[in-house]
Amino acid sequence: MNGDPGRPMVDIVGVNKHFGRLHVLRDIELSVGRGEVVVIVGPSGSGKSTLCRTINRLETVDTGTILIDGVPLPQEGRELAKLRAQVGMVFQSFNLFAHRTIQENVTLGLRKVHGVRAAAANAQARELLDRVGVAHQAEKLPAQLSGGQQQRVAIARALAMRPKVMLFDEPTSALDPEMINEVLDVMVGLATSGMTMVVVTHEMGFARRAADRVVFMDAGQVLEIATPEAFFTDPESRRAKEFLAKILAH
């Protein structure tokens, strides 16, 4: 079922989150349109990853509402599992099943969640692995692949669920420098194909190249939302100016 094209794909309204006494998300308001790429940046500990993880309820919120394609996140159970299948997630760690081949890692969700028969699931998996550039590794186990290749498999596995939105939580932070670009190139390809994406990253080059909007967070708050051009050339807040001065000096 296709939703209302004028409705945001992700709508975060008045969200607050505490870890004990620590107020990690403070009155967050953020909408992500269909096909939009929103990149969340900010210093460590600013709440970026926590916010990302609330979008498919890996983290619960204390107050506020999160809607995916107009539907509020369910509390738990079958409805939550159903909604999570529509929200692909790629983490820092690849989380692949070590004892299954690359192809099996991708077909598992197709078969178990979508009920796709084995032959069709294998064909779809090969197509997705080809899309991320690792089809030739299909019969190998995860440990036989480089970190960059494993992360690309993780992206293919998330795409296999036919998600409405893809979440990326620091997807390149565990990778060696030479592997980072191969993953970012796949993500840029996804962005240009029209996938709705929310990306938490320290890769400012990716934010400049692929984002429709950049969200700057600090101390649990959204301080600034701007186009990449505006954010990187003339940020509004003092904290964003300080952040960019430090990060772009290297």
Side-chain angles (χ1 to χ4, degrees):
M1 182 183 75
N2 290 323
D4 175 358
R7 182 171 62 206
M9 185 59 83
V10 179
D11 210 5
I12 300 170
V13 184
V15 160
N16 283 272
K17 167 77 177 172
H18 292 78
F19 288 127
R21 291 183 178 180
L22 192 61
H23 197 171
V24 291
L25 295 177
R26 298 169 179 264
D27 301 315
I28 303 291
E29 305 274 342
L30 178 64
S31 288
V32 181
R34 284 164 204 284
E36 188 178 23
V37 178
V38 169
V39 175
I40 304 174
V41 302
S44 294
S46 57
K48 308 182 300 292
S49 289
T50 302
L51 177 60
C52 188
R53 290 166 66 89
T54 62
I55 297 174
N56 69 349
R57 218 171 178 280
L58 284 175
E59 295 286 358
T60 57
V61 301
D62 300 330
T63 58
T65 310
I66 299 175
L67 300 99
I68 306 293
D69 202 5
V71 179
L73 284 181
Q75 290 300 304
E76 55 192 24
R78 188 172 292 176
E79 286 305 305
L80 180 59
K82 194 171 154 187
L83 187 124
R84 275 201 185 132
Q86 300 174 2
V87 183
M89 182 120 193
V90 179
F91 302 88
Q92 297 178 29
S93 52
F94 323 124
N95 293 345
L96 300 175
F97 295 112
H99 62 292
R100 293 183 180 271
T101 67
I102 296 311
Q103 180 154 312
E104 287 168 345
N105 266 278
V106 179
T107 58
L108 202 61
L110 282 167
R111 296 178 67 180
K112 300 283 187 190
V113 178
H114 289 297
V116 179
R117 291 179 183 272
N122 286 336
Q124 286 180 45
R126 289 288 177 140
E127 203 175 291
L128 287 165
L129 290 170
D130 187 47
R131 184 174 173 183
V132 300
V134 289
H136 60 296
Q137 310 280 17
E139 301 308 323
K140 291 185 176 176
L141 293 172
Q144 295 173 283
L145 272 60
S146 71
Q149 289 170 330
Q150 289 187 59
Q151 192 61 295
R152 286 185 278 155
V153 173
I155 293 171
R157 183 179 60 179
L159 289 173
M161 301 307 291
R162 306 167 200 157
K164 291 182 174 182
V165 56
M166 286 278 284
L167 310 176
F168 294 85
D169 183 13
E170 304 275 16
T172 59
S173 64
L175 298 177
D176 292 335
E178 68 270 20
M179 294 175 191
I180 289 173
N181 282 339
E182 65 188 55
V183 173
L184 293 179
D185 285 345
V186 168
M187 291 169 63
V188 168
L190 267 185
T192 55
S193 76
M195 173 62 75
T196 307
M197 296 165 63
V198 177
V199 183
V200 173
T201 186
H202 290 292
E203 299 294 333
M204 295 301 125
F206 174 81
R208 277 188 152 150
R209 189 173 158 199
D212 293 301
R213 287 185 299 156
V214 175
V215 174
F216 176 72
M217 290 186 69
D218 186 47
Q221 293 178 292
V222 171
L223 292 190
E224 205 163 325
I225 302 176
T227 64
E229 176 69 18
F231 180 72
F232 287 107
T233 57
D234 190 21
E236 290 175 9
S237 63
R238 180 183 59 82
R239 282 297 292 124
K241 285 184 169 78
E242 290 170 354
F243 172 77
L244 286 173
K246 282 179 186 171
I247 207 161
L248 298 178
H250 296 290

